Amino acid sequence: MNSVASHKFSARTQLSAFLLAGTMLSAPVMAQQVAPPTVPAPASDAAPTATTVQSITVVGNQRLEAQTILSYLRLRVGQTYDRSILDQALKDLAATELFKDFQITDNNGALTIEVTENPVINRVILEGNKRLKEDKIRPEIKLAPRQIFTRSKVRADVARIIELYKRQGRFAATVEPKMVSLDQNRVDVVFEINEGPKSKVRQISILGNEKFSDGDLKDEMATKESGLLTILSSNTSYDPDRLAYDQQKLRLFYLQNGYADFRVISAVAELTSNKQDFIITYVVEEGERYKFGDIDVKSELRDFQPEMLKTLLPMKKDDWYDAKLVEDTVESLSETAGLFGYAFADINPEFRRDPETRTMQITFNVAESPRTYVERIDVNGNTLTHDKVVRREFRLNEGDAFNSFGIKRTENRLNSLGYFQENLEIERKEGSAPDRIILETNVQEKPTGELSLSAGFSSIENFLLQASIRQRNFRGLGQQLQASVNYSSYSKSVELGFTEPYLFDRNISVGGSVYRRDLNSFNFIDNDRRTTFEQVTTGFQLNAGVPLTEFMSFFARYSLNYDDVTLDRGTYFFGDQCDPFIAGRYLCDAIGKRTTSLVGYTLAYDDRDNRIRPTRGQSLSLSQDFAGLGGSVKYVKTRVNASKHFNLGSRFILNISAEGGYIFPFGSAPNPGSDKVRLTDRFFLGEPQMRGFDIRGVGPRVIRYSVDNTDPANPIVVTETDGNRGQIDDALGGRAYYQGRIEVDIPLGTGAKELGLRPSVFLDVGSVFSVRRPELTTLATFTDPADGLAKNLCRNSATSAVTFGSNVNPVSGAVETQYQYCPTGTTSNLAPFEERFFGDTWMPRVSIGAGVNWNSPFGPFRIDFAYALRKEEGDDTKRFSFNVGTQF
């Protein structure tokens, strides 16, 4: 053959300027085209002539070896070929996607394959993506640096990016790929992204519903219509998965209300012309409403007596049919079978619908199954926590008969540790035989060590500084080790503690702590904070605990404390003695040093599903502390606590709690006429325990009011009704107290939940009472006999000064403080006052409000707004409060 047949595949494209519209993938953009080969026309009626391959030469290749390119082809030297074989060779080269241009030239059997290789990707650049970050996009695309560029990968990546934006509700998003040619046959691939607005659900239309209104049905859906009331909701965007979920929600709603024939005929989501909003239309068929007919149970298990089980079924004949109730009954029967050792009990409800009577007859068939025994317990995923820490929480052992209650209890105990993921579940797998089961626990460990240095501000403590280190799973053995330092304007503390929950691998917990606590008690006078007494406590505590039953435990403890209670000498003392005219006799009685040797115990019952964040169950505890085994303080303190948690459904949790206590003193009073229970040992109530009231704002107290002596013959006491809280407002506490709380946790969306926000509404009730009425101090206006004028008393600091008045202790008769009349024209440092005693009553105080817990970066944060519905005269109320470091 003297003629030259040139087969050329041309796909030349200006690489720096080609476009790929994200929404126009079906358009012939970047399509490779095969140019028809140029071959001389054969002679009329002549058949194609076969030619032998004499040689094959590859030119234009830079990175790829010639042999590598030839390996993709079926051409070999010495074989015969015709035009169809050359066409197939071109197709094989195109299939490799390694070349942007290639051609085969035939010169009498000498074949020359000329190629232009696809460029290498230097960088993949994303531009315009703000709502969807790069770390979310890059793992989904195939193009990457140092890879060979291919148009098919570009198209696939564009489609994938658009799909990611659709999942975010942005259906108007477009992606335009561009390439920038570089030297050495390299390119930068740039994806220019126009995210567009988030596509909202503008309208939800429901057709065919007659029994329930559109509003009732829309309330059941997860998807919400966009509007002012849902501006903060994340469920107003369109999501195909949520659309399918809403159909199931509608079906469940109707089935729960007796409409057994309900079905969703169609659910169509239409995108508006501007691609910004969706209109969703449901077409439903409600059908007739059914009631329960005859309910029966048939059991092939010998431990299951059908007649007994029928009495336990929650549904009754002629009740409206409820599919959810049937589902719950199946689950309940399965759990009951598990109690008897049937792990894989087959509970099959058989339905018989009667359209004429509109009744649904149900027979629960309990199929025969073998008793099941635990063959093996597997624990996976624990890298730090020792196996024994997990296994000792199991209520079943290998070889035991299966028991569903033991499995549920084990899950609750593991969740209460706080070492692993929330809602941990134990999987049940079939064992080596039909009567064997494998319990597999796949755990995901959470960080259990806490190292924090935080600062904050509290409406109670002002500036707060906290530093602590805590390990709740020390060495992976479940031990607790902690050290903390807290500092605020009115309290300081340092504490070291250690707890071993399983001593010598036995279910006996032991622990101890040493501490130093400095407390400055204070009150508010017309919004001014005033320090009263200072208490410094140094001591240690040892404790031990043993379980008595699965839910009941006994704890014992011993503590030794050294307390030093003082008042500011410059403010409250006259000479070497506490001045009752300044401090009040009750504060003077509180000062002193004492040692408290205390032995106590707690008997506790707790079957809550999770001790960290319970959703159901109850707890009850009785505690008593006996002070008097040595030391200078003698009393018996008794406290009772109880709580009950209810799961109301839809993640609403109701908590009802109550507590109370009483101190019974032994021995004599610290001072004649004072209460036998010291001020610092009594119960106090207020913020944060009882919201709606200020700190120590409930219960017995002494308020010192000013006396207006403008008219000495008719002095006027300026009380709280006159806008004056008083010169002094001191809470005295009480021997007895009680407190109750009803609180409902309100669920939030996923975003708020991830932030650690937990709002709630509450009602608090309580009181503290029973204290000996203190000796009150009243300082009236005196008349100076020298000139007959009304004057206030001044302190007599000079020993040689003439004394005109003195304060005499009415019990001992001793002169404690001496005063003189203030000279005319001088300022009195002891204005007349009158003390009054309030609040010693068991009558309840009641408050309502709402609050939110937030696990903030600087510690647990609680904010509350409360209103006191009922209070007693003298109580301090407070509507708004926030605290750092206080958990409820």
Side-chain angles (χ1 to χ4, degrees):
M1 290 177 58
N2 296 324
S3 62
V4 178
S6 175
H7 291 249
K8 181 178 181 181
F9 179 92
S10 178
R12 298 184 186 275
T13 306
Q14 188 63 34
L15 295 180
S16 62
F18 88 94
L19 304 177
L20 247 178
T23 57
M24 298 292 292
L25 293 179
S26 60
V29 182
M30 292 179 59
Q32 294 178 333
Q33 300 177 354
V34 178
T38 303
V39 182
S44 177
D45 298 327
T49 305
T51 307
T52 302
V53 177
Q54 303 297 327
S55 64
I56 303 175
T57 304
V58 179
V59 297
N61 55 311
Q62 298 178 351
R63 297 184 307 274
L64 297 174
E65 297 289 340
Q67 292 299 324
T68 301
I69 298 175
L70 292 177
S71 67
Y72 296 119
L73 307 178
R74 304 175 189 179
L75 292 174
R76 298 291 183 270
V77 175
Q79 81 174 73
T80 59
Y81 68 95
D82 56 18
R83 186 170 60 184
S84 64
I85 293 178
L86 294 181
D87 287 340
Q88 182 61 45
L90 291 172
K91 294 178 180 179
D92 292 340
L93 288 173
T96 65
E97 294 189 336
L98 297 174
F99 312 104
K100 66 180 179 181
D101 191 16
F102 47 86
Q103 64 182 12
I104 299 177
T105 303
D106 181 9
N107 187 9
N108 293 328
L111 302 180
T112 301
I113 302 174
E114 183 178 351
V115 298
T116 302
E117 295 176 347
N118 271 335
V120 174
I121 298 174
N122 179 56
R123 290 184 302 168
V124 178
I125 303 172
L126 301 174
E127 293 183 353
N129 56 309
K130 296 180 180 179
R131 302 295 182 180
L132 204 59
K133 301 303 180 183
E134 290 197 13
D135 59 348
K136 301 295 183 182
I137 299 178
R138 289 195 179 276
E140 302 293 336
I141 61 179
K142 295 180 180 180
L143 292 179
R146 295 183 297 277
Q147 286 187 355
I148 302 298
F149 166 81
T150 65
R151 290 171 172 81
S152 62
K153 288 182 180 180
V154 173
R155 288 192 292 269
D157 285 348
V158 168
R160 183 57 181 160
I161 294 173
I162 291 177
E163 180 63 27
L164 291 176
Y165 275 98
K166 286 182 178 180
R167 291 185 181 181
Q168 297 290 324
R170 299 182 182 275
F171 285 79
T174 59
V175 181
E176 183 178 358
K178 293 184 178 181
M179 285 176 290
V180 180
S181 298
L182 305 175
D183 57 357
Q184 299 179 358
N185 198 22
R186 296 175 302 133
V187 293
D188 285 342
V189 181
V190 181
F191 290 104
E192 292 186 354
I193 301 172
N194 180 10
E195 296 179 317
K198 198 167 188 177
S199 300
K200 300 289 186 179
V201 176
R202 179 187 299 176
Q203 180 181 344
I204 299 176
S205 300
I206 306 174
L207 305 177
N209 56 309
E210 297 179 356
K211 306 300 182 181
F212 298 96
S213 66
D214 287 4
D216 292 336
L217 299 182
K218 290 177 183 179
D219 288 343
E220 297 296 320
M221 299 179 184
T223 304
K224 303 299 179 183
E225 293 176 331
S226 59
L228 293 177
L229 298 179
T230 57
I231 190 171
L232 298 178
S233 175
S234 61
N235 292 340
T236 57
S237 59
Y238 172 72
D239 186 341
D241 295 335
R242 196 184 297 132
L243 181 66
Y245 175 72
D246 285 339
Q247 296 180 57
Q248 296 300 322
K249 291 277 288 183
L250 284 176
R251 177 170 173 78
L252 178 61
F253 174 73
Y254 271 93
L255 290 178
Q256 285 181 285
N257 286 277
Y259 295 89
D261 296 328
F262 172 82
R263 64 192 183 101
V264 179
I265 297 176
S266 65
V268 179
E270 297 177 311
L271 189 62
T272 57
S273 58
N274 60 3
K275 296 184 180 181
Q276 292 187 6
D277 296 312
F278 275 89
I279 297 175
I280 301 176
T281 304
Y282 293 92
V283 180
V284 302
E285 183 179 318
E286 293 179 322
E288 299 295 337
R289 194 177 189 186
Y290 284 74
K291 292 185 177 181
F292 282 113
D294 294 329
I295 310 297
D296 196 11
V297 178
K298 293 182 179 179
S299 173
E300 298 181 10
L301 299 178
R302 64 178 184 178
D303 299 302
F304 266 40
Q305 301 300 324
E307 295 303 322
M308 180 192 69
L309 292 176
K310 286 177 63 175
T311 61
L312 302 177
L313 297 180
M315 69 280 294
K316 303 299 179 184
K317 187 176 180 180
D318 294 331
D319 289 346
W320 290 115
Y321 173 72
D322 187 344
K324 182 64 166 56
L325 192 59
V326 176
E327 181 182 342
D328 293 342
T329 302
V330 172
E331 183 178 351
S332 177
L333 290 175
S334 298
E335 290 294 326
T336 305
L339 295 176
F340 291 92
Y342 300 98
F344 302 108
D346 183 11
I347 314 295
N348 181 31
E350 180 182 344
F351 299 90
R352 296 183 300 279
R353 182 186 285 106
D354 189 343
E356 295 183 0
T357 61
R358 296 177 186 173
T359 58
M360 183 75 71
Q361 301 179 21
I362 304 176
T363 300
F364 293 95
N365 296 308
V366 184
E368 183 178 5
S369 61
R371 284 185 180 274
T372 312
Y373 298 87
V374 179
E375 178 180 350
R376 192 172 72 248
I377 297 175
D378 294 337
V379 179
N380 305 319
N382 53 315
T383 57
L384 171 66
T385 307
H386 291 208
D387 265 16
K388 68 177 183 179
V389 174
V390 181
R391 292 180 181 274
R392 68 194 182 193
E393 302 300 330
F394 271 77
R395 302 297 95 181
L396 293 175
N397 295 317
E398 294 170 344
D400 288 351
F402 176 82
N403 185 296
S404 59
F405 173 80
I407 295 297
K408 187 61 178 177
R409 180 60 182 162
T410 299
E411 292 174 346
N412 291 343
R413 291 178 64 92
L414 288 174
N415 284 319
S416 295
L417 292 176
Y419 304 160
F420 312 114
Q421 75 273 21
E422 293 184 4
N423 301 322
L424 180 149
E425 294 184 356
I426 299 174
E427 297 183 20
R428 311 172 189 180
K429 296 186 176 181
E430 296 183 0
S432 58
D435 62 344
R436 296 289 184 268
I437 186 174
I438 297 174
L439 302 179
E440 184 173 273
T441 307
N442 297 306
V443 302
Q444 299 177 14
E445 291 182 321
K446 298 191 302 184
T448 55
E450 302 172 6
L451 175 62
S452 64
L453 177 63
S454 58
F457 188 86
S458 166
S459 59
I460 296 178
E461 298 281 351
N462 283 349
F463 178 74
L464 294 169
L465 179 63
Q466 300 176 343
S468 66
I469 181 171
R470 182 187 181 196
Q471 176 54 261
R472 294 181 290 109
N473 189 14
F474 184 56
R475 300 190 300 158
L477 296 173
Q479 300 167 338
Q480 295 187 32
L481 179 66
Q482 63 180 13
S484 63
V485 177
N486 296 323
Y487 175 87
S488 72
S489 301
Y490 290 89
S491 65
K492 307 171 186 64
S493 68
V494 58
E495 183 171 354
L496 300 173
F498 176 80
T499 300
E500 168 57 70
Y502 277 76
L503 182 64
F504 306 125
D505 291 329
R506 297 182 179 274
N507 200 355
I508 301 174
S509 65
V510 295
S513 61
V514 293
Y515 44 82
R516 165 70 180 264
R517 304 183 182 117
D518 295 2
L519 170 67
N520 291 356
S521 182
F522 55 86
N523 55 30
F524 287 94
I525 305 299
D526 296 330
N527 295 323
D528 293 328
R529 189 188 305 265
R530 175 175 175 175
T531 300
T532 55
F533 64 87
E534 300 178 6
Q535 179 180 0
V536 178
T537 302
T538 306
F540 70 89
Q541 177 173 296
L542 302 176
N543 53 72
V546 294
L548 302 180
T549 66
E550 177 61 29
F551 301 110
M552 186 172 291
S553 302
F554 178 83
F555 302 92
R557 56 188 169 273
Y558 173 78
S559 62
L560 181 64
N561 297 326
Y562 176 76
D563 295 305
D564 185 7
V565 180
T566 60
L567 295 173
D568 182 69
R569 301 185 67 88
T571 303
Y572 297 103
F573 274 62
F574 184 78
D576 294 330
Q577 295 188 8
C578 177
D579 187 348
F581 277 176
I582 301 297
R585 190 172 300 280
Y586 45 88
L587 283 184
C588 291
D589 291 339
I591 61 176
K593 300 178 181 179
R594 63 185 185 275
T595 303
T596 304
S597 177
L598 188 145
V599 177
Y601 75 90
T602 297
L603 185 63
Y605 176 88
D606 191 344
D607 68 351
R608 293 174 296 175
D609 59 346
N610 192 319
R611 295 181 182 179
I612 299 176
R613 190 171 296 176
T615 61
R616 59 171 56 90
Q618 53 271 324
S619 65
L620 176 67
S621 67
L622 169 65
S623 300
Q624 283 192 306
D625 293 292
F626 302 88
L629 188 65
S632 56
V633 179
K634 295 178 173 58
Y635 62 78
V636 177
K637 180 184 290 185
T638 304
R639 299 183 68 174
V640 177
N641 290 268
S643 67
K644 176 75 174 179
H645 298 267
F646 301 89
N647 191 334
L648 303 180
S650 300
R651 295 188 292 122
F652 284 88
I653 306 299
L654 170 63
N655 173 29
I656 301 176
S657 62
E659 62 179 279
Y662 185 80
I663 303 176
F664 183 81
F666 294 100
S668 59
N671 295 297
S674 65
D675 197 290
K676 291 183 178 181
V677 180
R678 294 177 182 267
L679 177 68
T680 54
D681 293 326
R682 299 172 196 161
F683 295 114
F684 291 89
L685 196 59
E687 184 191 356
Q689 298 89 352
M690 189 167 180
R691 294 153 290 188
F693 294 87
D694 209 342
I695 181 172
R696 299 186 174 189
V698 175
R701 63 201 326 99
V702 170
I703 300 179
R704 178 177 292 187
Y705 295 115
S706 301
V707 175
D708 184 355
N709 63 347
T710 304
D711 183 2
N714 186 27
I716 301 174
V717 179
V718 184
T719 62
E720 187 173 358
T721 58
D722 303 310
N724 175 39
R725 181 62 188 174
Q727 298 177 359
I728 292 179
D729 182 0
D730 284 330
L732 304 184
R735 298 186 186 184
Y737 88 103
Y738 67 86
Q739 182 189 2
R741 175 180 298 142
I742 299 176
E743 189 161 9
V744 178
D745 290 340
I746 302 174
L748 293 178
T750 304
K753 184 179 179 181
E754 292 177 354
L755 291 175
L757 295 174
R758 291 188 295 118
S760 63
V761 294
F762 57 83
L763 181 147
D764 289 349
V765 59
S767 180
V768 59
F769 53 96
S770 185
V771 68
R772 181 188 177 106
R773 182 181 179 88
E775 294 182 7
L776 303 178
T777 305
T778 297
L779 182 61
T781 301
F782 289 86
T783 301
D784 188 344
D787 53 17
L789 299 177
K791 298 179 180 179
N792 296 332
L793 290 184
C794 292
R795 284 186 176 181
N796 181 10
S797 57
T799 57
S800 60
V802 178
T803 301
F804 291 98
S806 61
N807 173 50
V808 180
N809 190 313
V811 178
S812 63
V815 178
E816 296 178 338
T817 313
Q818 294 182 334
Y819 296 90
Q820 67 181 13
Y821 299 125
C822 293
T824 303
T826 62
T827 302
S828 169
N829 64 356
L830 197 60
F833 62 83
E834 178 178 316
E835 290 184 343
R836 295 184 181 180
F837 178 61
F838 299 101
D840 191 11
T841 174
W842 61 268
M843 295 297 292
R845 282 71 156 176
V846 182
S847 65
I848 59 172
V852 61
N853 274 319
W854 176 35
N855 292 329
S856 68
F858 47 86
F861 181 89
R862 173 82 190 191
I863 184 171
D864 288 295
F865 180 84
Y867 176 75
L869 293 177
R870 190 184 187 283
K871 62 178 182 175
E872 293 292 328
E873 186 178 4
D875 289 345
D876 292 344
T877 60
K878 188 176 185 180
R879 294 191 178 183
F880 176 80
S881 63
F882 65 93
N883 296 286
V884 178
T886 301
Q887 286 275 34
F888 289 93

